[in-house]
Amino acid sequence: MEEGQSGQDPGGPPAGPTSAGAGDRPVPVMADVARLAGVSAMTVSRVLNGHPSVRPETRARVLEAIEVLDYRRNSAARALATRRSETIGVVAFDTTFYGQAACVRGVEHAAREAGYFVSIATVKVVDERSIREAADCLVAQSVEGLVVVTPRASALQELREQTVGVPMVVAGGSPHSGLPTAAADQEAGGRRATRHLLFRGHETVWHVAGPEDWDDARGRLRGWQSALADAGAIEPRVLRGDWSAASGWRAGVELAKQRKVSAVFVSNDQMALGVILAMKQAGRRVPEDVSVVGFDDIPEAAYFDPPLTTIRQDFEELGRRSVGLLLQAIEIGTARSSPAVIPEFVGRLSTADAGRWAGARS
Amino acid sequence: MEEGQSGQDPGGPPAGPTSAGAGDRPVPVMADVARLAGVSAMTVSRVLNGHPSVRPETRARVLEAIEVLDYRRNSAARALATRRSETIGVVAFDTTFYGQAACVRGVEHAAREAGYFVSIATVKVVDERSIREAADCLVAQSVEGLVVVTPRASALQELREQTVGVPMVVAGGSPHSGLPTAAADQEAGGRRATRHLLFRGHETVWHVAGPEDWDDARGRLRGWQSALADAGAIEPRVLRGDWSAASGWRAGVELAKQRKVSAVFVSNDQMALGVILAMKQAGRRVPEDVSVVGFDDIPEAAYFDPPLTTIRQDFEELGRRSVGLLLQAIEIGTARSSPAVIPEFVGRLSTADAGRWAGARS
DNA sequence: TGGTACCGTGATAGCGCAATCACGGGGCTC
DNA sequence: GAGCCCCGTGATTGCGCTATCACGGTACCA
């Protein structure tokens, strides 16, 4: 354009810098494809974007040129022009937890299927600062939306205020966070687990809960309470763990001291593993003396000794659904929570009827 | 400054579209910051990039304007202009495996510390097609480099050819893949495990290996073989698993049929869990009748029954190192493999001296 | 005192793509 | 048979940022 209308080199100004390189261009751009195919860059763009109004013949020519040149569209340029990054961000906590990892995997697959990239930021500690940092980091990368995997409710309150602009959904956690959520009905799961033990004849059921500020832990605890209340059973003091087997073991040591404990609902499978070990170490057999129910159904649960009766959550499905929600929020502008999925009871061998000698309470 | 030399609207053409919006601009751009701070956009850019030649006073003014406007730099535009995305890609397999997940976490943290974003692509099945797809997807996103976590060697051969342009490193896997690698010395680990059992007096040690085409599995197997050879012990037939507890259980069932089996080195902890269960179900006690050593030291291993003797790998460190390698490759253009870390022996209760009645072989 | 060397800053020109508008040509309506 | 519209395509412009060069000033050397 500086040369305006004057000269003899129409291709000069626009194509100049692009075509200048003698021929050693390492990475081809759209103009290169266009030239090879004998069309304009715009047409190449249309082909790439599946725009309908391109003659099949032209399209084929362009596709061939793309193939020949091994051309790949520059996503930064595209993002700049469209103002869309086609990327969603995932904030996750400890992805070494099976549930988190499976959920992230679900997110990743669903997102990729929908044509989105996935950027991830994990936080080591679950406090507002870290979470905001992670979210900021993702937002700085122009993600179009955020999936927060299994958070603490408190942390979310913070987030909602801060992450201006980009839609957010929650995978796991409580459906009451005020954000669209894809979650399993933890309460129903907790109720189911507890009821199972009650049906087996146990007078009451003890509970090893997860961290107080995790919605999942809270929901399971509520379910346990309500099942107990329904059955008119007394509600024993709650023990707290941090989801780790180690914390479960510590709780199990406490529990084993009390002879009247005959049934324990543990808020996840890892802690259940710890509880079982502690029980056995204290000389109490599982399930003969003490029945244990876990939660999550991690792949190893079936190979615990005894194989663990537990409540299965489909974490991957959660991840998938949350992406569905997020895409709605991004594309339609609104999304409401997905209906809670009901976790499934998985009966194995870690529970038995009360009575053999479990009847000997207090 | 915009009033420059000409008229009253010199800002027109360049700043026009930016300043045109009456005042409802949802997202501020650099020009907005510049205007507010009374400087040029270039200066804002310099401040943002930590360029030294900006007067502290000016810098402060700019920073304040940024704060006031809650301005965030558009990363797509930056990437386009600099030709750098500041993003690295991670290709991982099943991140629900503890090792993979921990490694990815290490990558993520190290990358973020170094100022890089992390995009992730997981593959469901470990074949060349999927891996290439995942890598392509990442490359399409203009990642500057790729970390491939614990791959199969065969898959890597493919990848190396295909991913033109972006540097690649491997986290885990064999150091002989031809790519820079951060790996633990699997062979040393396997040797250590086997030797431990041999020292305990077992005549020989059986092995439940991981998938044949995983470098990790291969290395551990080689270590087992070499320890056996050194001790002059016979080398029993290898059993194969797929890393899952279920496959370990199946192998355990086989092993339990043979009364002479008194010591088993299992290629990961999950499979070890399965082996132990199968043994017990067959009436063979662990460790009294059969000693078992695992590999990895997943957090639950200490709470198996019996607590599992195993070989600890620091997966997170692997991830961290691989990022170090990758950044070298990106920034310096070259990187050689990190020295292999030697896995650490963790003695717990799943192994015992041979002899009680284990001596009664064949 | 002139020249050289900066230092702090601004104007300008792309980065590679897609949105917008423009345009020739064929089919359609009436 | 004239007008219309839409189809397929191209030229142009700008997304928001940074690289480059240019420029007035102060400092320093000769």
Side-chain angles (χ1 to χ4, degrees):
Chain A
M1 340 170 136
E2 29 270 358
E3 320 218 357
Q5 49 284 72
S6 68
Q8 28 63 290
D9 68 344
T18 310
S19 61
D24 63 337
R25 172 149 310 91
V27 38
V29 299
M30 207 177 253
D32 300 319
V33 176
R35 205 170 316 118
L36 182 59
V39 298
S40 74
M42 200 51 235
T43 298
V44 176
S45 173
R46 278 192 267 257
V47 169
L48 251 24
N49 294 321
H51 193 94
S53 70
V54 176
R55 227 177 339 139
E57 179 190 315
T58 310
R59 174 187 313 278
R61 217 152 12 105
V62 169
L63 288 175
E64 196 194 317
I66 287 174
E67 184 90 17
V68 169
L69 262 38
D70 191 28
Y71 165 75
R72 309 170 175 220
R73 166 164 70 183
N74 179 315
S75 62
R78 180 178 161 80
L80 183 59
T82 58
R83 284 114 173 276
R84 301 203 41 192
S85 64
E86 300 192 300
T87 301
I88 67 175
V90 177
V91 178
F93 300 94
D94 195 335
T95 50
T96 57
F97 287 156
Y98 171 77
Q100 300 270 313
C103 191
V104 169
R105 194 174 50 171
V107 168
E108 204 272 327
H109 287 152
R112 194 126 60 97
E113 263 167 40
Y116 282 80
F117 302 116
V118 176
S119 264
I120 190 164
T122 58
V123 300
K124 296 182 206 220
V125 291
V126 190
D127 62 14
E128 295 88 354
R129 258 261 310 291
S130 315
I131 297 173
R132 190 153 77 229
E133 259 175 45
D136 278 351
C137 171
L138 256 13
V139 169
Q141 207 186 352
S142 320
V143 297
E144 293 184 31
L146 238 35
V147 175
V148 184
V149 178
T150 315
R152 306 161 39 147
S154 55
L156 273 193
Q157 302 297 346
E158 270 299 310
L159 257 195
R160 180 149 47 119
E161 310 297 331
Q162 291 296 332
T163 48
V164 249
V166 319
M168 251 176 85
V169 304
V170 184
S174 146
H176 311 298
S177 68
L179 291 164
T181 301
D185 189 337
Q186 306 296 329
E187 195 168 333
R191 216 178 294 123
R192 185 78 180 76
T194 308
R195 249 189 231 148
H196 167 75
L197 291 165
L198 259 11
F199 285 167
R200 290 284 221 159
H202 298 276
E203 293 202 355
T204 192
V205 176
W206 294 66
H207 183 46
V208 179
E212 193 154 15
D213 47 6
W214 281 60
D215 294 324
D216 284 356
R218 278 217 267 254
R220 292 167 203 176
L221 184 135
R222 271 200 308 275
W224 167 73
Q225 289 173 323
S226 86
L228 250 31
D230 288 353
I234 58 148
E235 185 184 313
R237 187 174 66 84
V238 172
L239 296 167
R240 288 278 171 196
D242 62 8
W243 299 132
S244 73
S247 70
W249 182 81
R250 287 190 293 270
V253 168
E254 289 304 309
L255 250 19
K257 286 181 190 159
Q258 310 182 49
R259 298 245 62 114
K260 62 183 175 228
V261 173
S262 77
V264 186
F265 163 45
V266 188
S267 202
N268 79 344
D269 291 348
Q270 280 87 354
M271 293 197 295
L273 182 66
V275 168
I276 291 173
L277 181 65
M279 286 294 173
K280 292 188 198 165
Q281 287 173 336
R284 313 202 51 189
R285 294 169 303 163
V286 179
E288 293 85 346
D289 303 328
V290 180
S291 289
V292 175
V293 176
F295 209 107
D296 286 352
D297 195 28
I298 62 174
E300 287 77 35
Y303 298 89
F304 287 3
D305 178 24
L308 187 66
T309 293
T310 189
I311 307 290
R312 175 180 302 156
Q313 290 203 80
D314 189 343
F315 292 104
E316 203 160 335
E317 173 65 17
L318 243 45
R320 247 178 272 123
R321 286 195 188 195
S322 60
V323 170
L325 257 34
L326 186 58
L327 296 190
Q328 264 179 42
I330 291 172
E331 285 157 17
I332 305 173
T334 170
R336 61 182 85 257
S337 293
S338 167
V341 312
I342 305 296
E344 178 190 352
F345 177 81
V346 181
R348 287 199 275 249
L349 304 177
S350 64
T351 56
D353 293 336
R356 297 188 204 206
W357 38 21
R361 63 171 182 91
S362 67
Chain B
M1 356 230 96
E2 354 214 10
E3 317 228 332
Q5 50 286 47
S6 69
Q8 24 73 279
D9 76 338
T18 310
S19 60
D24 63 337
R25 171 149 309 91
V27 37
V29 298
M30 205 176 255
D32 299 320
V33 175
R35 205 170 315 117
L36 182 58
V39 298
S40 75
M42 200 51 236
T43 298
V44 176
S45 172
R46 278 193 267 256
V47 169
L48 250 27
N49 293 323
H51 193 94
S53 69
V54 176
R55 228 177 338 139
E57 181 189 313
T58 310
R59 176 187 311 278
R61 222 156 5 110
V62 169
L63 288 175
E64 196 194 318
I66 287 173
E67 183 92 15
V68 169
L69 262 38
D70 190 28
Y71 166 75
R72 310 168 175 222
R73 165 163 71 183
N74 178 316
S75 63
R78 179 177 161 82
L80 183 58
T82 59
R83 285 116 173 275
R84 300 204 41 192
S85 64
E86 300 192 299
T87 302
I88 68 175
V90 178
V91 178
F93 300 94
D94 195 335
T95 49
T96 58
F97 288 156
Y98 172 77
Q100 300 271 313
C103 190
V104 169
R105 193 173 50 171
V107 168
E108 204 273 326
H109 287 153
R112 195 127 59 97
E113 263 166 40
Y116 282 81
F117 303 116
V118 176
S119 264
I120 190 164
T122 58
V123 300
K124 297 182 206 222
V125 291
V126 190
D127 62 14
E128 294 89 353
R129 258 263 308 293
S130 315
I131 296 173
R132 190 154 75 228
E133 259 175 44
D136 278 350
C137 171
L138 256 14
V139 169
Q141 206 184 353
S142 321
V143 297
E144 293 184 30
L146 238 35
V147 175
V148 183
V149 178
T150 315
R152 307 161 36 146
S154 56
L156 273 193
Q157 302 297 345
E158 271 298 310
L159 256 195
R160 181 150 46 118
E161 310 298 329
Q162 292 296 331
T163 49
V164 248
V166 319
M168 249 178 86
V169 303
V170 183
S174 147
H176 311 299
S177 68
L179 291 164
T181 302
D185 189 337
Q186 306 297 329
E187 194 167 334
R191 216 178 294 123
R192 185 77 180 79
T194 308
R195 249 189 231 148
H196 167 76
L197 290 165
L198 259 11
F199 286 167
R200 288 287 220 157
H202 297 277
E203 294 203 354
T204 193
V205 176
W206 295 66
H207 183 47
V208 178
E212 192 154 15
D213 47 5
W214 280 61
D215 294 323
D216 285 356
R218 277 217 267 253
R220 292 167 203 177
L221 183 135
R222 271 199 310 275
W224 166 75
Q225 287 172 324
S226 86
L228 248 32
D230 289 353
I234 57 149
E235 184 184 314
R237 188 174 65 84
V238 171
L239 297 171
R240 287 277 171 195
D242 60 8
W243 298 133
S244 73
S247 70
W249 181 82
R250 286 190 294 271
V253 168
E254 289 305 308
L255 252 17
K257 286 180 191 160
Q258 311 182 48
R259 298 245 62 113
K260 63 185 173 225
V261 173
S262 77
V264 186
F265 163 44
V266 188
S267 202
N268 79 343
D269 291 348
Q270 280 87 354
M271 293 197 295
L273 181 68
V275 168
I276 291 173
L277 180 66
M279 287 294 173
K280 291 188 198 166
Q281 286 174 337
R284 312 200 54 188
R285 294 169 303 164
V286 179
E288 292 85 348
D289 303 327
V290 180
S291 288
V292 175
V293 176
F295 209 106
D296 287 352
D297 194 28
I298 62 174
E300 287 76 36
Y303 298 90
F304 286 3
D305 178 24
L308 188 67
T309 293
T310 189
I311 307 290
R312 176 179 301 155
Q313 290 203 81
D314 190 344
F315 292 103
E316 203 160 336
E317 173 65 18
L318 243 44
R320 245 178 273 122
R321 287 195 187 195
S322 61
V323 169
L325 257 34
L326 185 59
L327 296 191
Q328 262 181 43
I330 291 173
E331 284 157 18
I332 305 172
T334 171
R336 62 182 84 255
S337 293
S338 168
V341 311
I342 305 295
E344 178 190 352
F345 177 81
V346 180
R348 287 199 276 250
L349 304 177
S350 63
T351 58
D353 292 338
R356 298 187 204 207
W357 40 20
R361 63 170 184 92
S362 68

